Amino acid sequence: MEISQVRYFLAVAKELNFTRAAEQCNVTQPALSRAIKLLEDEFGGPLFHRERRFTHLTELGRMVETYLEGVFENSRQAKQIAEQYVTLKKMPLKVGIMSTIAPDEIIELIAGVRAHHPGVELHLCDADAVSLRRRLLEGELEAAIYALPSDVPDEEVHSLPLFQEQMVMAVHLAHRLANQRVVRVKDMSNESYIHRNNCEFAGYADAILAEQGVTVSPVYWSDRDDWTLAMIAAGLGFGFMPEHTAKHPGVVPLPITEPEFWREVNLVTVRGRRHSPAVGALVREATQKKWFGERVKALSAAE
């Protein structure tokens, strides 16, 4: 059964006249009659009583009419959705954002996508980096923006670097280290620490601190950076945070040295996966945008 046959059947069922139905479908009457005959052969019986002045549906024709109307409407809607998808008139795009990224730069990216590609419907979710990577590989997300500290390349994904930022020791104004320009890792020893549950350096930084004999005492655990900053400002402990996130009244960000900690935030897609035009639109906006005043240096294969 072809959609054209369904269309011809519905036209005849409406007009109850083969000549008028053929004109409506812009085909010759013999071509329409042949298509209806093939449909009847497939269904195993006549769909119309063909009388000179009175064409009408058979019982079989009445039985299948409602179902064929549904088939034709679903086909029309599917074609419309496909056209909107291909032309970017209406295309959903699921993007994961690492919850520890300061929102200002991401909002600029979202605004850029909206301004230049209004048909892209961004569906955003936030989570920790490990969860985003897993959801990306499982196909739940089409793209993600996150950072994972590792010297080993991730062969399963393609990463487009967006920006780098240094990790800092965030302390309150009256902290003993607040007046220093930088702090060494050793200076953090024996300090009360507010643990950020979604920190991408969790576990990675612990090993480095242990190598230097540095111990810190977690006194609070927080899922949210705004709560962490508020507790730091209240003098409840220090935080290990990205420099652009550690902005809060009463909080002093101190770059960490010996060693330094940097995170590279990337726009990540699955390597080898065929991506939608909406992903290409997101990549283009990400590469054209200035991230903290600097443009992205490389284009992505996902474009």
Side-chain angles (χ1 to χ4, degrees):
M1 181 174 61
E2 299 179 358
I3 291 299
S4 60
Q5 293 173 309
V6 175
R7 183 163 67 93
Y8 299 163
F9 166 83
L10 294 175
V12 177
K14 178 182 178 182
E15 298 292 337
L16 295 179
N17 183 285
F18 277 72
T19 300
R20 289 197 300 269
E23 292 173 352
Q24 178 184 321
C25 295
N26 197 29
V27 295
T28 64
Q29 182 176 331
L32 182 139
S33 297
R34 283 195 300 272
I36 297 295
K37 182 63 171 62
L38 289 173
L39 197 60
E40 290 176 325
D41 291 344
E42 186 170 348
F43 284 158
L47 299 174
F48 296 97
H49 290 300
R50 295 165 173 80
E51 300 176 359
R52 181 170 297 180
R53 294 186 178 181
F54 184 57
T55 297
H56 58 281
L57 287 164
T58 65
E59 186 64 28
L60 176 60
R62 284 193 293 270
M63 289 176 59
V64 301
E65 182 181 15
T66 300
Y67 295 100
L68 292 181
E69 285 175 343
V71 168
F72 185 75
E73 178 60 20
N74 288 337
S75 173
R76 187 192 65 79
Q77 291 182 4
K79 184 178 180 180
Q80 183 181 35
I81 290 171
E83 289 175 347
Q84 291 174 341
Y85 182 87
V86 172
T87 60
L88 277 179
K89 290 181 179 178
K90 185 177 180 181
M91 182 179 295
L93 175 60
K94 296 181 180 179
V95 181
I97 310 292
M98 188 168 64
S99 56
T100 62
I101 297 176
D104 293 351
E105 297 292 315
I106 300 299
I107 290 172
E108 285 186 7
L109 174 63
I110 294 170
V113 172
R114 178 62 180 169
H116 301 128
H117 311 279
V120 176
E121 298 178 349
L122 282 173
H123 297 250
L124 305 176
C125 69
D126 68 298
D128 63 273
V130 174
S131 296
L132 290 178
R133 181 184 181 277
R134 174 181 53 78
R135 293 167 69 177
L136 185 66
L137 293 176
E138 291 176 352
E140 184 179 343
L141 300 172
E142 295 177 75
I145 298 176
Y146 63 75
L148 279 173
S150 175
D151 298 328
V152 180
D154 190 340
E155 298 297 335
E156 293 187 275
V157 301
H158 182 279
S159 298
L160 172 66
L162 300 180
F163 63 89
Q164 289 184 325
E165 60 182 332
Q166 189 171 8
M167 302 298 289
V168 301
M169 179 181 183
V171 300
H172 66 97
L173 290 172
H175 192 277
R176 65 180 181 87
L177 300 172
N179 294 325
Q180 295 189 189
R181 188 172 58 87
V182 298
V183 294
R184 300 172 302 168
V185 167
K186 290 182 178 180
D187 296 331
M188 303 163 73
S189 194
N190 300 317
E191 289 284 339
S192 296
Y193 171 57
I194 300 173
H195 182 78
R196 298 164 58 243
N197 292 333
N198 294 322
C199 179
E200 64 273 23
F201 280 91
Y204 180 87
D206 293 343
I208 295 174
L209 267 61
E211 288 176 1
Q212 298 204 24
V214 175
T215 58
V216 294
S217 303
V219 290
Y220 296 100
W221 287 257
S222 176
D223 288 331
R224 292 173 43 176
D225 283 348
D226 55 346
W227 283 64
T228 300
L229 288 165
M231 287 189 282
I232 294 170
L236 300 180
F238 82 90
F240 181 73
M241 313 185 75
E243 59 178 313
H244 295 113
T245 301
K247 295 179 179 179
H248 189 279
V251 173
V252 179
L254 303 172
I256 300 170
T257 62
E258 301 182 23
E260 295 181 352
F261 291 88
W262 291 79
R263 74 173 185 180
E264 181 177 83
V265 175
N266 300 282
L267 173 57
V268 185
T269 54
V270 177
R271 189 179 296 277
R273 179 177 293 171
R274 185 172 183 178
H275 299 295
S276 71
V279 174
L282 178 68
V283 171
R284 283 191 292 276
E285 290 301 318
T287 57
Q288 293 170 9
K289 168 183 157 43
K290 286 187 176 181
W291 296 87
F292 300 103
E294 296 185 6
R295 287 198 182 278
V296 174
K297 297 179 181 179
L299 292 176
S300 168
E303 193 176 14

